[in-house]
Amino acid sequence: GDSVTQTEGPVTLSEGTSLTVNCSYETKQYPTLFWYVQYPGEGPQLLFKVPKANEKGSNRGFEATYNKEATSFHLQKASVQESDSAVYYCALSDTGYQNFYFGKGTSLTVIP
Amino acid sequence: EAAVTQSPRSKVAVTGGKVTLSCHQTNNHDYMYWYRQDTGHGLRLIHYSYVADSTEKGDIPDGYKASRPSQENFSLILELASLSQTAVYFCASSDWGLGVYEQYFGPGTRLTVL
């Protein structure tokens, strides 16, 4: 079945350093890939989505490239801020279906 | 803007008691979902629904029932609450069509079973 595996946390970084959260997926379909972010006390919210292979998504300085050959969708940011402290979820959904598969989440804490 | 609300926001229940968590969306979305969130497990799908008066089992349905009386409302019911059901529960909604649509989440309900 479909699955998503991502970097296990927690991850602690200093402000201004770079971030990479690895995400790998398994599916036999043609998925759309997502990154969600969850701030403390809130529900997850969409960071961005990428529906097509070899395309890049980005938002708020975060970016990820849909790599179909490597079945990966790694989240990157060049310089993190304290406000980026949150839990990040990688997810996939197969085209034509509305079932979502989430990774276990990666907790990020950024120290000023 | 899309809106999903949940009630109550937090609840303490006793083992063996009945618990009902409610979700309301004003997005006019067809799909609604219930997830539970636990440390180390992320988000796990309990039940979902794509039309009123119909529900489907997700990945971890045991011990939970769901009810979708209207397009806007979706409830999660724990008939006999157990300690293992202590978690944060999220409701979500999404549109449906030819593409893939993101899910919009509510703020969550923190359930503690004692």
Side-chain angles (χ1 to χ4, degrees):
Chain A
D2 294 4
S3 67
V4 175
T5 303
Q6 60 181 100
T7 299
E8 291 199 17
V11 174
T12 303
L13 296 174
S14 297
E15 262 192 339
T17 59
S18 64
L19 168 72
T20 297
V21 180
N22 291 330
C23 173
S24 299
Y25 66 90
E26 291 186 21
T27 179
K28 295 182 179 179
Q29 306 296 329
Y30 302 93
T32 291
L33 301 178
F34 302 77
W35 275 104
Y36 279 80
V37 58
Q38 182 182 17
Y39 298 105
E42 300 181 8
Q45 58 185 267
L46 181 69
L47 189 55
F48 55 83
K49 67 178 180 181
V50 180
K52 293 183 180 180
N54 303 319
E55 293 191 351
K56 178 187 289 187
S58 64
N59 188 16
R60 307 182 205 173
F62 292 90
E63 62 180 31
T65 298
Y66 184 158
N67 187 326
K68 185 173 184 292
E69 288 68 34
T71 63
S72 67
F73 191 53
H74 305 321
L75 181 68
Q76 296 180 311
K77 188 174 186 183
S79 176
V80 296
Q81 305 300 312
E82 187 178 5
S83 58
D84 294 327
S85 297
V87 178
Y88 293 84
Y89 287 97
C90 183
L92 72 80
S93 182
D94 294 321
T95 303
Y97 300 87
Q98 283 303 110
N99 287 353
F100 283 70
Y101 299 88
F102 286 87
K104 293 184 177 181
T106 301
S107 175
L108 170 66
T109 300
V110 180
I111 301 171
Chain B
E1 187 172 322
V4 179
T5 55
Q6 296 182 230
S7 61
R9 292 295 313 276
S10 67
K11 183 172 181 64
V12 178
V14 296
T15 303
K18 182 177 181 178
V19 177
T20 300
L21 307 182
S22 299
C23 178
H24 179 78
Q25 56 110 347
T26 58
N27 305 329
N28 199 33
H29 286 165
D30 289 323
Y31 277 77
M32 295 187 75
Y33 310 78
W34 276 107
Y35 292 89
R36 65 176 282 172
Q37 183 179 54
D38 304 272
T39 302
H41 289 282
L43 293 164
R44 294 185 289 175
L45 181 66
I46 306 171
H47 286 288
Y48 68 98
S49 167
Y50 54 85
V51 68
D53 296 323
S54 177
T55 63
E56 305 292 333
K57 293 180 179 180
D59 299 323
I60 55 164
D62 293 346
Y64 302 93
K65 291 183 179 179
S67 173
R68 181 95 180 269
S70 64
Q71 187 192 39
E72 298 80 17
N73 296 295
F74 191 35
S75 297
L76 185 68
I77 303 153
L78 290 64
E79 296 278 4
L80 295 170
S82 66
L83 295 174
S84 64
Q85 294 177 312
T86 292
V88 180
Y89 292 85
F90 288 99
C91 176
S93 73
S94 73
D95 209 341
W96 179 85
L98 295 178
V100 175
Y101 298 85
E102 62 264 31
Q103 296 188 338
Y104 293 86
F105 284 83
T109 294
R110 181 174 297 277
L111 175 65
T112 302
V113 182
L114 302 176

